[in-house]
Amino acid sequence: MANIKSAIKRIQVAERNRLRNKAYKSAVKTLMKKYLTAVDSYAANPTPEAKQEVDQHMSAAFSKIDKAVKCKVLHKNNGARKKSILANSLKRKEASLSAK
């Protein structure tokens, strides 16, 4: 354990930031999973209500990813990659629906 006052403060700040970063990352993962399950249910039963639900989940996930990037919890390329994965998952499902 640190004896110097500034070192003790840095430890406290690092712990506070670690918990905040963990909360952001956890929320991003949760919203991504909710979005992907909504996309799967939309692919199984394509209705306008299901499409609206997918859009709401996408908006929430994109918003949380953008906030995490803004707070420097995620690197901007990591955030862009996550958003790309979400958009491409919907695009693939819609392409398979139109092919049927």
Side-chain angles (χ1 to χ4, degrees), residues 13-23:
V13 168
E15 179 65 13
R16 184 178 66 222
N17 290 343
R18 184 187 71 83
L19 293 174
R20 187 175 359 162
N21 293 347
K22 184 179 175 185

Side-chain angles (χ1 to χ4, degrees), residues 32 35-36 61-62 65 82-90:
M32 286 181 70
Y35 171 78
L36 292 174
F62 275 26
I65 290 169
K82 288 182 185 307
K83 287 165 55 173
S84 174
I85 288 169
L86 295 179
N88 285 333
S89 67
L90 178 62

Side-chain angles (χ1 to χ4, degrees), residues 46-79:
T47 62
E49 295 83 19
K51 175 68 171 161
Q52 186 177 11
E53 183 181 350
V54 167
D55 290 339
Q56 288 174 347
H57 284 294
M58 177 186 269
S59 176
F62 275 26
S63 175
K64 187 56 93 171
I65 290 169
D66 288 337
K67 287 177 185 174
V69 168
K70 186 176 81 173
C71 294
K72 299 196 173 146
V73 174
L74 298 176
H75 190 272
K76 65 178 185 175
N77 291 351
N78 190 340

